[in-house]
Amino acid sequence: MGGFGIVRAMGKNHLYQNAAAKQPALQFVQGEEVLTQKEKEEWQDGWVKYKDAVYAYNEEILTFLIMGIDKQSDVEEVAEGTNGGQADALFLAVLNPRDKRMKVIGVNRNTMTDIDIYDENGAYASTVKAQIAIQHGFGNGMEESCEYQRKAVENLFYQLPIHGYAAVNMSAIATINDAVGGVAVTVPADLDGFREEFAEGETLQLEGENAFWFVKYRDTDVFGSADLRLERQKQYLNGFIGAAKQAVRKDASVVIDLYEAVKSQMVTDISLDEMVYLAPILAEYGFGEEDFHMVPGETVMGEKFEEFYLDEDAMFEMILDIFYEKIQ
């Protein structure tokens, strides 16, 4: 038990040292806000004033980037170029030790943002506005691609500190699903007719291949199919987190077993001691449907592909709500 406690302490320290930034780079005054004389006297670096309230970033929060990569094989290094695989699923898992709650933020794969372009030699070429999912495609398909994707998400969230990432090939979904005993879902309309067992409104306990298709499938001929799939992924993650919490309460080592089962299909910078620290948190922290958020915005049809544009004001308010605390 003493050794376990030491490993957990080491993991905690490493996690908080992992983020490149200490806090997001929000403008300290928004809109037409004006600092009072008292605020000017007491002002600290990183504070934000918005709608007559002052906020400070919660530095105890841990944020993790979860990527679902559109590959159905073990991870392998690829030649520099665009073969790293697109991040068809992007989620931020946010752990707040102060209120013992976990929140999840879903990012639409078609979110238009700054994407760094690299040539076949891995040299930076330019930055363009494009769908955020394609950023992972550049690089070597391993840590390099993950770091590119991490940077794009950090930039989208105003340089938000990200303490770790896990990029999981879609082929691992069945293994992950079955490790927690399956996940219960209600089949939405967009899957009706895709597979015989996916009848609209049917409640299913997803197992094996069905879990893969529920999370992965989308009809690219239907406008907004990425939005529909993200809604399914949201429902699935809600169910998965509940099932995972129950599994961890029964046996905390299930997290390590799961890691071993999918490591050939996953790239992560989360070390074993960090996982040992995080595993009990999954069981301890509260999580409900109200803790799941989606990056706000709207999907429109571009020249060739769908494009999702942020609602900047709503995005700013969501970041304040999740990552900041009001100063009394």
Side-chain angles (χ1 to χ4, degrees), residues 77-260:
E77 187 168 344
V78 298
E80 295 281 354
T82 58
N83 297 316
Q86 296 189 9
D88 271 352
L90 287 167
F91 297 93
L92 286 175
V94 185
L95 304 177
N96 187 348
R98 293 184 182 173
D99 62 7
K100 292 286 193 281
R101 294 204 70 81
M102 176 169 66
K103 297 184 185 297
V104 174
I105 305 172
V107 181
N108 192 304
R109 69 162 325 273
N110 292 324
T111 301
M112 301 299 288
T113 190
D114 287 340
I115 298 298
D116 291 337
I117 306 299
Y118 298 85
D119 65 19
E120 65 275 8
N121 297 314
Y124 169 79
S126 64
T127 298
V128 301
K129 286 284 185 185
Q131 290 83 351
I132 197 169
I134 72 172
Q135 183 65 85
H136 187 276
F138 294 94
N140 62 0
M142 303 290 284
E143 289 81 2
E144 188 178 52
S145 294
C146 290
E147 290 296 342
Y148 290 163
Q149 189 68 66
R150 176 182 190 159
K151 177 185 175 184
V153 174
E154 286 175 339
N155 290 344
L156 184 70
F157 281 79
Y158 302 92
Q159 305 302 319
L160 176 74
I162 293 179
H163 301 87
Y165 64 74
V168 185
N169 285 0
M170 288 293 193
S171 53
I173 291 173
T175 302
I176 295 170
N177 177 86
D178 293 354
V180 299
V183 175
V185 298
T186 300
V187 180
D190 66 309
L191 280 180
D192 191 27
F194 167 60
R195 292 169 74 90
E196 183 178 348
E197 52 271 59
F198 287 164
E200 180 183 354
E202 191 78 19
T203 298
L204 296 178
Q205 184 76 8
L206 293 177
E207 296 179 355
E209 190 180 57
N210 277 345
F212 169 80
W213 286 115
F214 188 88
V215 174
K216 168 71 174 171
Y217 173 77
R218 75 178 176 119
D219 186 348
T220 54
D221 292 329
V222 175
F223 176 75
S225 61
D227 304 73
L228 294 171
R229 181 173 65 182
L230 186 54
E231 283 295 329
R232 267 189 278 116
Q233 291 172 346
K234 172 184 174 180
Q235 182 192 170
Y236 178 83
L237 274 178
N238 274 322
F240 176 83
I241 290 171
K245 283 165 65 72
Q246 291 184 19
V248 171
R249 286 193 188 104
K250 293 179 182 177
D251 181 6
S253 68
V254 71
V255 176
I256 308 301
D257 295 339
L258 182 56
Y259 176 84
E260 290 295 323

Side-chain angles (χ1 to χ4, degrees), residues 301-318:
M301 193 64 210
E303 290 185 12
K304 290 178 119 180
F305 304 106
E306 293 176 13
E307 300 174 354
F308 182 87
Y309 288 92
L310 287 180
D311 180 331
E312 296 283 357
D313 291 337
M315 177 75 162
F316 181 84
E317 291 180 355
M318 181 182 74

Side-chain angles (χ1 to χ4, degrees), residues 272-316:
L272 183 60
D273 61 343
E274 292 165 353
M275 289 188 63
V276 169
Y277 169 70
L278 291 171
I281 289 178
L282 182 61
E284 295 171 2
Y285 280 37
F287 179 82
E289 196 165 341
E290 70 280 4
D291 296 308
F292 204 112
H293 303 262
M294 307 286 264
V295 166
E298 178 184 14
T299 296
V300 300
M301 193 64 210
E303 290 185 12
K304 290 178 119 180
F305 304 106
E306 293 176 13
E307 300 174 354
F308 182 87
Y309 288 92
L310 287 180
D311 180 331
E312 296 283 357
D313 291 337
M315 177 75 162
F316 181 84

